[in-house]
Amino acid sequence: MFETIGVLVVFFFLLVGGTTFYFKIQESAMQKELVRQAQLRSLQAAQRAMFLPELDCSFVSIQRENCFDRLKLKAFGSVSQSPKTAQSYFGQFGFATVIVREAYPSTDFIVTIYTSIPDEYGKVLLTQTPVLLYDPVTKDFGFGVMEVTTYAE
Amino acid sequence: MRNKRSQMEIMGLAIIIILISLGLLFAVQWMLKAPPTKPVQRAKESVLAANFLNTMLGTTTDCNKRTIRELLQDCALTGGVTKCDGQTSCTYVRSIIQKLFDETFKKWNMPYHIAMTGATPIEQLDFGTKPCPGEREQKTHPLPVRPGFEITITLEICR
């Protein structure tokens, strides 16, 4: 009788221990996958923003890679603040904030080109990438940084 | 009868030991497994390094509206004949590049290493960074100075 109970206790102990361990691994794997997906979305959003025709530097219809037109950026920044415009870009960027700031020669040029923040979020991921900021008036290229912040659950 | 029962008990114990051993093996294997390489992180760093070099070379400086690319070419070819704010193009371009790194990688706490090769004046530009001790993401950008003469800029992002 006692032996049977002992065997059952050991069996259930092992079962509970094994199940707990298994679910812990599953949970950790799922967390990693969620972060990976959020990082991927962040990278995708950065790449999409880089190739927005609304902001590109084009010279006789030839688009310069890795470059934003400062005048277009300013105009876009003032338009994109309206909820209607933000909504129309939601399909491209999702829940994210896209900011372009100049790092050289000046540091006071900063434009928010898109922002949509969810009510609740867990992790915030930041992707930064350097971009050229072309001034069509002086024909100079400044060194800027585009910061894409994405919000993961 | 009694002999048979003790045999059954031994069988039960053996099964329990096998189960525990399997569980332990699984746990040890899981714990010792090397962390998986993060392809998204690697892609991000690769894009960052390539974009940094492209953007840096195309940036216009205050030195006669020359780009960093042109100043580096001048430094490699002449050792810094062009004067910018009383400095040679070599020292001037070094300070500008350092400023760009301070505004980006240094601000982001991202260790990096930059190396330029192909001409003595370029190789003497010291950015005070040491080669990455371990894993890194590296991008190399060849910069033609004149036919048959080019310098190479290598940027490493350390992990």
Side-chain angles (χ1 to χ4, degrees), chain B residues 33-72:
Chain B
K33 201 166 66 177
T37 46
K38 297 171 182 166
V40 181
Q41 188 61 26
R42 288 187 67 173
K44 255 171 100 168
E45 285 168 0
S46 172
V47 169
L48 175 63
N51 283 355
F52 186 90
L53 287 179
N54 275 331
T55 309
M56 178 186 86
L57 292 173
T59 302
T60 312
T61 65
D62 292 332
C63 180
N64 309 319
K65 287 202 164 200
R66 301 275 186 104
T67 60
I68 289 180
R69 177 184 282 108
E70 289 164 341
L71 289 177
L72 284 173

Side-chain angles (χ1 to χ4, degrees), chain A residues 15-65:
Chain A
L15 191 72
V16 169
T19 315
T20 313
F21 184 66
Y22 176 75
F23 281 112
K24 279 263 183 236
I25 290 177
Q26 286 295 313
E27 194 188 346
S28 143
M30 260 170 67
Q31 290 280 350
K32 276 183 193 163
E33 183 57 26
L34 277 175
V35 172
R36 200 187 73 86
Q37 288 295 331
Q39 277 184 329
L40 201 62
R41 269 194 292 118
S42 171
L43 190 64
Q44 280 173 343
Q47 289 297 308
R48 281 188 186 133
M50 289 285 257
F51 294 97
L52 274 181
E54 293 90 323
L55 304 172
D56 71 352
C57 313
S58 40
F59 306 91
V60 202
S61 305
I62 298 166
Q63 188 181 5
R64 180 159 181 167
E65 206 184 321

Side-chain angles (χ1 to χ4, degrees), chain A residues 16-153:
Chain A
V16 169
T19 315
T20 313
F21 184 66
Y22 176 75
F23 281 112
K24 279 263 183 236
I25 290 177
Q26 286 295 313
E27 194 188 346
S28 143
M30 260 170 67
Q31 290 280 350
K32 276 183 193 163
E33 183 57 26
L34 277 175
V35 172
R36 200 187 73 86
Q37 288 295 331
Q39 277 184 329
L40 201 62
R41 269 194 292 118
S42 171
L43 190 64
Q44 280 173 343
Q47 289 297 308
R48 281 188 186 133
M50 289 285 257
F51 294 97
L52 274 181
E54 293 90 323
L55 304 172
D56 71 352
C57 313
S58 40
F59 306 91
V60 202
S61 305
I62 298 166
Q63 188 181 5
R64 180 159 181 167
E65 206 184 321
N66 223 21
C67 179
F68 287 147
D69 188 313
R70 287 171 71 109
L71 295 184
K72 290 181 187 175
L73 262 177
K74 267 188 197 168
F76 192 82
S78 58
V79 174
S80 68
Q81 300 304 315
S82 79
K84 203 180 166 187
T85 318
Q87 205 178 1
S88 58
Y89 283 92
F90 187 81
Q92 275 179 293
F93 300 117
F95 287 118
T97 302
V98 185
I99 293 171
V100 178
R101 65 173 176 86
E102 191 170 42
Y104 176 84
S106 74
T107 49
D108 47 11
F109 180 80
I110 180 159
V111 178
T112 303
I113 55 175
Y114 174 81
T115 183
S116 179
I117 304 168
D119 296 333
E120 283 179 27
Y121 54 88
K123 223 173 165 74
V124 175
L125 292 159
L126 184 64
T127 301
Q128 292 133 321
T129 185
V131 284
L132 279 171
L133 298 176
Y134 176 63
D135 189 331
V137 180
T138 59
K139 314 268 186 228
D140 286 347
F141 289 92
F143 185 97
V145 175
M146 181 173 66
E147 295 174 346
V148 180
T149 311
T150 42
Y151 308 92
E153 282 172 30

Side-chain angles (χ1 to χ4, degrees), chain B residues 128-148:
Chain B
T129 59
K130 287 177 184 153
C132 299
E135 252 191 289
R136 72 204 69 177
E137 188 60 48
Q138 181 181 302
K139 279 281 170 240
T140 301
H141 197 296
L143 183 60
V145 179
R146 65 169 185 216

